[in-house]
Amino acid sequence: MDFPSTQFVPSRAMGTYEPIHQIGMWGENFKSISNPNISASVIVDVANKLENESETTSHEMLVPSSKHDQEASKPFDKIQRRLAQNREAARKSRLRKKAYVQQLENSRLKLIQLEQELERSRQQGLYVGGGLEAGHLGISGAVNSGIAAFEMGYERWMEEQNKQICELRSALNAQISEIELRILVESGMSHYFELFRMKSSVAKADVFYVMSGKWKTSAERFFAWIGGFRPSELLKVLVPQIDPLTDQQILDVCNLKQSCQQAEDALSQGMEKLRETVSATLASGQMGQGTYVPQVAMAMEKLEALVCFVNQADHLRQETLQQMSYILTTRQAARGLLALGEYIHRLQALSNLWANHPREPA
Amino acid sequence: MDKVVRLASERGVVLFSKSTCCLCYAVKILFQELGVTPTVHEIDQDLEGRDMERALMRLGCKAPVPAVFIGGKLVGSTNEVMSLHLGGGLIPLLKPYQALC
């Protein structure tokens, strides 16, 4: 946006020209306010600049006038007082304008926050009515704060992840040294390990939260296996992106995939056993009398094992990442991490598209 | 302690387990998939179960079960077994004990 430079022009010319010019500028401002893309701070800047403009211009308007009135002293006092009053009124008006713009800015920020929350809720498939569990059974404060801490942490994790993906992308396109690329790969891996630590922490607070994958988008949840990706599936998706591989690498990756699948099968069957155990415990004794406290208490004890399974699943993911980093060269590992990041982005975009895609009325 | 050490140093693959432990069940399934039949000791069904539990923890197992010994040496719990397997080190250890099918 262009601002007029302060011009030293005769007051009469300014008298006719200036107000129109100011109105013109305000018109531009109001257009910007309705455009959601302009930042609120720019609006405040514009408001400030215009206030400064009008201050300097009103000075210039004053100077010629006071020269005229210097002959008569009494009318001079009157005029001086009137001018002072004008200045005061103008100052008050500027302060009101500042306050109003500040209010606008705050409202805009709040609107952005609400829109983001709504978007997140929609992506997570939560309805505005709120989950039944939260209302009915009452989640304890500790669980809530554990979950809240995780969600905040995950948001930051995602932002950092996006930054790292961009860095990887530009690093691979540029010709950076092996050492620098290695550093990027190591940070990428540490970043995932950090996520597993966070998940382990929140699993202690509420293992069902981790099992539900609530913090992820709907398409990501569609592929979930014990609270996250199935490592062998990811290998299938990512290995073609890392071509070409040496014969030894192909063999190693093949063995890794097989070991992974065997471990996953073992854990899946363990989970199935856990479900059977909990179900059997819950259903023990006569049903129908409405008394079941001991059964529920015993079932809960069995359910504690779920935390172990979630931890084992994440351990498997971490080990798979680690093993791949041993098998691949630095450059291949970088491409692998980049492909993984983009795959997740595509899943998130799919979730978004799905949420916003018009459906036929029932 | 003696009982655990004695049982652990038996030849082959030894698994200390609890009949109610689903993670132990998962380890059993993994060995099955790899063609190995471990000697399983369900310590919850053993009269000296409590002592055995303490002994296993003193030997370095964070959770008493599952605890895997191969050829008399402690491999570890689920974590260690999984890491070893993904790293390709489990099958070589099991080779002498794999069923010939």
Side-chain angles (χ1 to χ4, degrees), chain A residues 149-170:
Chain A
F150 176 83
E151 295 195 330
M152 272 203 320
Y154 184 72
E155 217 179 291
R156 281 197 300 269
W157 188 90
M158 217 48 229
E159 284 170 7
E160 177 63 30
Q161 171 78 344
N162 294 337
K163 245 187 262 167
Q164 289 192 3
I165 293 299
C166 288
E167 277 178 343
L168 269 174
R169 195 175 291 132
S170 33

PDB file of all heavy atoms in Angstrom, chain A residues 149-170:
ATOM      1  N   ALA A 149      -1.938 -31.673  27.509  1.00  0.00           N
ATOM      2  CA  ALA A 149      -0.499 -31.463  27.321  1.00  0.00           C
ATOM      3  C   ALA A 149      -0.040 -32.152  26.039  1.00  0.00           C
ATOM      4  O   ALA A 149       0.732 -31.598  25.261  1.00  0.00           O
ATOM      5  CB  ALA A 149       0.277 -32.000  28.517  1.00  0.00           C
ATOM      6  N   PHE A 150      -0.538 -33.372  25.820  1.00  0.00           N
ATOM      7  CA  PHE A 150      -0.137 -34.102  24.617  1.00  0.00           C
ATOM      8  C   PHE A 150      -0.593 -33.384  23.361  1.00  0.00           C
ATOM      9  O   PHE A 150       0.167 -33.259  22.395  1.00  0.00           O
ATOM     10  CB  PHE A 150      -0.703 -35.522  24.633  1.00  0.00           C
ATOM     11  CG  PHE A 150      -0.402 -36.298  23.384  1.00  0.00           C
ATOM     12  CD1 PHE A 150       0.805 -36.941  23.226  1.00  0.00           C
ATOM     13  CD2 PHE A 150      -1.314 -36.344  22.334  1.00  0.00           C
ATOM     14  CE1 PHE A 150       1.099 -37.636  22.053  1.00  0.00           C
ATOM     15  CE2 PHE A 150      -1.026 -37.031  21.167  1.00  0.00           C
ATOM     16  CZ  PHE A 150       0.180 -37.679  21.025  1.00  0.00           C
ATOM     17  N   GLU A 151      -1.840 -32.888  23.372  1.00  0.00           N
ATOM     18  CA  GLU A 151      -2.362 -32.243  22.161  1.00  0.00           C
ATOM     19  C   GLU A 151      -1.590 -30.990  21.826  1.00  0.00           C
ATOM     20  O   GLU A 151      -1.302 -30.712  20.659  1.00  0.00           O
ATOM     21  CB  GLU A 151      -3.855 -31.960  22.333  1.00  0.00           C
ATOM     22  CG  GLU A 151      -4.643 -33.263  22.438  1.00  0.00           C
ATOM     23  CD  GLU A 151      -6.134 -33.103  22.259  1.00  0.00           C
ATOM     24  OE1 GLU A 151      -6.654 -32.034  22.602  1.00  0.00           O
ATOM     25  OE2 GLU A 151      -6.752 -34.067  21.788  1.00  0.00           O
ATOM     26  N   MET A 152      -1.239 -30.222  22.866  1.00  0.00           N
ATOM     27  CA  MET A 152      -0.428 -29.023  22.620  1.00  0.00           C
ATOM     28  C   MET A 152       0.933 -29.432  22.074  1.00  0.00           C
ATOM     29  O   MET A 152       1.439 -28.854  21.111  1.00  0.00           O
ATOM     30  CB  MET A 152      -0.229 -28.252  23.928  1.00  0.00           C
ATOM     31  CG  MET A 152      -1.333 -27.271  24.190  1.00  0.00           C
ATOM     32  SD  MET A 152      -0.860 -25.935  25.299  1.00  0.00           S
ATOM     33  CE  MET A 152       0.129 -26.740  26.528  1.00  0.00           C
ATOM     34  N   GLY A 153       1.515 -30.452  22.720  1.00  0.00           N
ATOM     35  CA  GLY A 153       2.817 -30.950  22.286  1.00  0.00           C
ATOM     36  C   GLY A 153       2.771 -31.450  20.854  1.00  0.00           C
ATOM     37  O   GLY A 153       3.702 -31.215  20.080  1.00  0.00           O
ATOM     38  N   TYR A 154       1.686 -32.107  20.496  1.00  0.00           N
ATOM     39  CA  TYR A 154       1.582 -32.653  19.146  1.00  0.00           C
ATOM     40  C   TYR A 154       1.484 -31.560  18.106  1.00  0.00           C
ATOM     41  O   TYR A 154       2.050 -31.661  17.015  1.00  0.00           O
ATOM     42  CB  TYR A 154       0.377 -33.595  19.029  1.00  0.00           C
ATOM     43  CG  TYR A 154       0.273 -34.262  17.677  1.00  0.00           C
ATOM     44  CD1 TYR A 154       1.176 -35.260  17.302  1.00  0.00           C
ATOM     45  CD2 TYR A 154      -0.695 -33.875  16.748  1.00  0.00           C
ATOM     46  CE1 TYR A 154       1.105 -35.858  16.047  1.00  0.00           C
ATOM     47  CE2 TYR A 154      -0.775 -34.473  15.500  1.00  0.00           C
ATOM     48  CZ  TYR A 154       0.122 -35.466  15.157  1.00  0.00           C
ATOM     49  OH  TYR A 154       0.056 -36.052  13.917  1.00  0.00           O
ATOM     50  N   GLU A 155       0.778 -30.465  18.470  1.00  0.00           N
ATOM     51  CA  GLU A 155       0.663 -29.339  17.548  1.00  0.00           C
ATOM     52  C   GLU A 155       2.054 -28.778  17.256  1.00  0.00           C
ATOM     53  O   GLU A 155       2.420 -28.543  16.106  1.00  0.00           O
ATOM     54  CB  GLU A 155      -0.209 -28.257  18.177  1.00  0.00           C
ATOM     55  CG  GLU A 155      -1.102 -27.557  17.172  1.00  0.00           C
ATOM     56  CD  GLU A 155      -1.968 -26.516  17.842  1.00  0.00           C
ATOM     57  OE1 GLU A 155      -2.870 -26.913  18.602  1.00  0.00           O
ATOM     58  OE2 GLU A 155      -1.708 -25.325  17.613  1.00  0.00           O
ATOM     59  N   ARG A 156       2.847 -28.595  18.347  1.00  0.00           N
ATOM     60  CA  ARG A 156       4.206 -28.088  18.176  1.00  0.00           C
ATOM     61  C   ARG A 156       5.026 -29.086  17.382  1.00  0.00           C
ATOM     62  O   ARG A 156       5.814 -28.707  16.516  1.00  0.00           O
ATOM     63  CB  ARG A 156       4.884 -27.875  19.548  1.00  0.00           C
ATOM     64  CG  ARG A 156       4.467 -26.598  20.242  1.00  0.00           C
ATOM     65  CD  ARG A 156       5.454 -26.262  21.345  1.00  0.00           C
ATOM     66  NE  ARG A 156       5.517 -27.318  22.358  1.00  0.00           N
ATOM     67  CZ  ARG A 156       4.776 -27.357  23.447  1.00  0.00           C
ATOM     68  NH1 ARG A 156       3.907 -26.385  23.663  1.00  0.00           N
ATOM     69  NH2 ARG A 156       4.885 -28.336  24.309  1.00  0.00           N
ATOM     70  N   TRP A 157       4.814 -30.393  17.669  1.00  0.00           N
ATOM     71  CA  TRP A 157       5.567 -31.440  16.974  1.00  0.00           C
ATOM     72  C   TRP A 157       5.296 -31.372  15.474  1.00  0.00           C
ATOM     73  O   TRP A 157       6.206 -31.468  14.663  1.00  0.00           O
ATOM     74  CB  TRP A 157       5.159 -32.812  17.533  1.00  0.00           C
ATOM     75  CG  TRP A 157       6.006 -33.923  17.019  1.00  0.00           C
ATOM     76  CD1 TRP A 157       7.156 -34.413  17.570  1.00  0.00           C
ATOM     77  CD2 TRP A 157       5.791 -34.695  15.819  1.00  0.00           C
ATOM     78  NE1 TRP A 157       7.682 -35.426  16.797  1.00  0.00           N
ATOM     79  CE2 TRP A 157       6.860 -35.622  15.715  1.00  0.00           C
ATOM     80  CE3 TRP A 157       4.817 -34.689  14.835  1.00  0.00           C
ATOM     81  CZ2 TRP A 157       6.963 -36.532  14.669  1.00  0.00           C
ATOM     82  CZ3 TRP A 157       4.925 -35.596  13.786  1.00  0.00           C
ATOM     83  CH2 TRP A 157       5.986 -36.500  13.714  1.00  0.00           C
ATOM     84  N   MET A 158       4.025 -31.180  15.132  1.00  0.00           N
ATOM     85  CA  MET A 158       3.623 -31.113  13.732  1.00  0.00           C
ATOM     86  C   MET A 158       4.258 -29.911  13.035  1.00  0.00           C
ATOM     87  O   MET A 158       4.728 -30.010  11.903  1.00  0.00           O
ATOM     88  CB  MET A 158       2.088 -31.029  13.674  1.00  0.00           C
ATOM     89  CG  MET A 158       1.425 -31.768  12.531  1.00  0.00           C
ATOM     90  SD  MET A 158       1.939 -33.450  12.259  1.00  0.00           S
ATOM     91  CE  MET A 158       2.246 -33.446  10.530  1.00  0.00           C
ATOM     92  N   GLU A 159       4.289 -28.763  13.726  1.00  0.00           N
ATOM     93  CA  GLU A 159       4.913 -27.568  13.143  1.00  0.00           C
ATOM     94  C   GLU A 159       6.387 -27.813  12.879  1.00  0.00           C
ATOM     95  O   GLU A 159       6.899 -27.485  11.803  1.00  0.00           O
ATOM     96  CB  GLU A 159       4.779 -26.375  14.108  1.00  0.00           C
ATOM     97  CG  GLU A 159       3.403 -25.768  14.127  1.00  0.00           C
ATOM     98  CD  GLU A 159       3.226 -24.754  15.264  1.00  0.00           C
ATOM     99  OE1 GLU A 159       4.229 -24.431  15.941  1.00  0.00           O
ATOM    100  OE2 GLU A 159       2.098 -24.310  15.460  1.00  0.00           O
ATOM    101  N   GLU A 160       7.066 -28.404  13.868  1.00  0.00           N
ATOM    102  CA  GLU A 160       8.489 -28.708  13.719  1.00  0.00           C
ATOM    103  C   GLU A 160       8.685 -29.703  12.584  1.00  0.00           C
ATOM    104  O   GLU A 160       9.619 -29.584  11.787  1.00  0.00           O
ATOM    105  CB  GLU A 160       9.025 -29.271  15.037  1.00  0.00           C
ATOM    106  CG  GLU A 160      10.481 -29.702  14.986  1.00  0.00           C
ATOM    107  CD  GLU A 160      11.440 -28.565  14.699  1.00  0.00           C
ATOM    108  OE1 GLU A 160      11.143 -27.421  15.081  1.00  0.00           O
ATOM    109  OE2 GLU A 160      12.487 -28.825  14.055  1.00  0.00           O
ATOM    110  N   GLN A 161       7.779 -30.685  12.512  1.00  0.00           N
ATOM    111  CA  GLN A 161       7.847 -31.697  11.459  1.00  0.00           C
ATOM    112  C   GLN A 161       7.787 -31.040  10.079  1.00  0.00           C
ATOM    113  O   GLN A 161       8.591 -31.343   9.203  1.00  0.00           O
ATOM    114  CB  GLN A 161       6.673 -32.670  11.630  1.00  0.00           C
ATOM    115  CG  GLN A 161       6.474 -33.656  10.510  1.00  0.00           C
ATOM    116  CD  GLN A 161       7.447 -34.808  10.564  1.00  0.00           C
ATOM    117  OE1 GLN A 161       8.461 -34.748  11.259  1.00  0.00           O
ATOM    118  NE2 GLN A 161       7.159 -35.856   9.851  1.00  0.00           N
ATOM    119  N   ASN A 162       6.850 -30.122   9.903  1.00  0.00           N
ATOM    120  CA  ASN A 162       6.709 -29.451   8.612  1.00  0.00           C
ATOM    121  C   ASN A 162       7.963 -28.677   8.249  1.00  0.00           C
ATOM    122  O   ASN A 162       8.397 -28.662   7.102  1.00  0.00           O
ATOM    123  CB  ASN A 162       5.485 -28.531   8.613  1.00  0.00           C
ATOM    124  CG  ASN A 162       4.194 -29.319   8.718  1.00  0.00           C
ATOM    125  OD1 ASN A 162       4.137 -30.494   8.385  1.00  0.00           O
ATOM    126  ND2 ASN A 162       3.144 -28.677   9.196  1.00  0.00           N
ATOM    127  N   LYS A 163       8.561 -28.034   9.270  1.00  0.00           N
ATOM    128  CA  LYS A 163       9.804 -27.292   9.042  1.00  0.00           C
ATOM    129  C   LYS A 163      10.890 -28.239   8.558  1.00  0.00           C
ATOM    130  O   LYS A 163      11.593 -27.955   7.591  1.00  0.00           O
ATOM    131  CB  LYS A 163      10.251 -26.643  10.364  1.00  0.00           C
ATOM    132  CG  LYS A 163      10.235 -25.131  10.328  1.00  0.00           C
ATOM    133  CD  LYS A 163      10.844 -24.545  11.574  1.00  0.00           C
ATOM    134  CE  LYS A 163       9.766 -24.158  12.586  1.00  0.00           C
ATOM    135  NZ  LYS A 163      10.305 -23.868  13.917  1.00  0.00           N
ATOM    136  N   GLN A 164      11.000 -29.382   9.255  1.00  0.00           N
ATOM    137  CA  GLN A 164      12.055 -30.336   8.910  1.00  0.00           C
ATOM    138  C   GLN A 164      11.855 -30.893   7.508  1.00  0.00           C
ATOM    139  O   GLN A 164      12.819 -31.102   6.775  1.00  0.00           O
ATOM    140  CB  GLN A 164      12.083 -31.478   9.928  1.00  0.00           C
ATOM    141  CG  GLN A 164      12.598 -31.040  11.278  1.00  0.00           C
ATOM    142  CD  GLN A 164      12.905 -32.211  12.188  1.00  0.00           C
ATOM    143  OE1 GLN A 164      12.783 -33.366  11.798  1.00  0.00           O
ATOM    144  NE2 GLN A 164      13.301 -31.924  13.410  1.00  0.00           N
ATOM    145  N   ILE A 165      10.603 -31.138   7.148  1.00  0.00           N
ATOM    146  CA  ILE A 165      10.307 -31.663   5.807  1.00  0.00           C
ATOM    147  C   ILE A 165      10.775 -30.666   4.752  1.00  0.00           C
ATOM    148  O   ILE A 165      11.384 -31.036   3.751  1.00  0.00           O
ATOM    149  CB  ILE A 165       8.806 -31.972   5.658  1.00  0.00           C
ATOM    150  CG1 ILE A 165       8.415 -33.127   6.569  1.00  0.00           C
ATOM    151  CG2 ILE A 165       8.444 -32.289   4.221  1.00  0.00           C
ATOM    152  CD1 ILE A 165       9.145 -34.420   6.268  1.00  0.00           C
ATOM    153  N   CYS A 166      10.467 -29.380   4.976  1.00  0.00           N
ATOM    154  CA  CYS A 166      10.902 -28.355   4.023  1.00  0.00           C
ATOM    155  C   CYS A 166      12.420 -28.327   3.923  1.00  0.00           C
ATOM    156  O   CYS A 166      12.979 -28.221   2.828  1.00  0.00           O
ATOM    157  CB  CYS A 166      10.386 -26.973   4.440  1.00  0.00           C
ATOM    158  SG  CYS A 166       8.627 -26.807   4.180  1.00  0.00           S
ATOM    159  N   GLU A 167      13.083 -28.419   5.086  1.00  0.00           N
ATOM    160  CA  GLU A 167      14.549 -28.393   5.080  1.00  0.00           C
ATOM    161  C   GLU A 167      15.103 -29.573   4.306  1.00  0.00           C
ATOM    162  O   GLU A 167      16.030 -29.428   3.517  1.00  0.00           O
ATOM    163  CB  GLU A 167      15.073 -28.454   6.519  1.00  0.00           C
ATOM    164  CG  GLU A 167      15.103 -27.121   7.220  1.00  0.00           C
ATOM    165  CD  GLU A 167      15.594 -27.230   8.659  1.00  0.00           C
ATOM    166  OE1 GLU A 167      15.603 -28.341   9.221  1.00  0.00           O
ATOM    167  OE2 GLU A 167      15.957 -26.191   9.206  1.00  0.00           O
ATOM    168  N   LEU A 168      14.528 -30.742   4.532  1.00  0.00           N
ATOM    169  CA  LEU A 168      14.970 -31.946   3.831  1.00  0.00           C
ATOM    170  C   LEU A 168      14.805 -31.785   2.329  1.00  0.00           C
ATOM    171  O   LEU A 168      15.701 -32.121   1.553  1.00  0.00           O
ATOM    172  CB  LEU A 168      14.170 -33.163   4.298  1.00  0.00           C
ATOM    173  CG  LEU A 168      14.737 -33.967   5.466  1.00  0.00           C
ATOM    174  CD1 LEU A 168      13.737 -35.038   5.875  1.00  0.00           C
ATOM    175  CD2 LEU A 168      16.058 -34.608   5.086  1.00  0.00           C
ATOM    176  N   ARG A 169      13.637 -31.246   1.959  1.00  0.00           N
ATOM    177  CA  ARG A 169      13.342 -31.081   0.536  1.00  0.00           C
ATOM    178  C   ARG A 169      14.381 -30.183  -0.131  1.00  0.00           C
ATOM    179  O   ARG A 169      14.973 -30.528  -1.160  1.00  0.00           O
ATOM    180  CB  ARG A 169      11.946 -30.501   0.346  1.00  0.00           C
ATOM    181  CG  ARG A 169      11.422 -30.645  -1.078  1.00  0.00           C
ATOM    182  CD  ARG A 169       9.999 -30.163  -1.206  1.00  0.00           C
ATOM    183  NE  ARG A 169       9.058 -31.039  -0.523  1.00  0.00           N
ATOM    184  CZ  ARG A 169       8.109 -30.616   0.309  1.00  0.00           C
ATOM    185  NH1 ARG A 169       7.988 -29.340   0.570  1.00  0.00           N
ATOM    186  NH2 ARG A 169       7.294 -31.488   0.880  1.00  0.00           N
ATOM    187  N   SER A 170      14.648 -29.015   0.478  1.00  0.00           N
ATOM    188  CA  SER A 170      15.613 -28.095  -0.134  1.00  0.00           C
ATOM    189  C   SER A 170      17.014 -28.661  -0.073  1.00  0.00           C
ATOM    190  O   SER A 170      17.794 -28.501  -1.009  1.00  0.00           O
ATOM    191  CB  SER A 170      15.554 -26.703   0.486  1.00  0.00           C
ATOM    192  OG  SER A 170      15.235 -26.754   1.831  1.00  0.00           O
TER     193      SER A 170
END
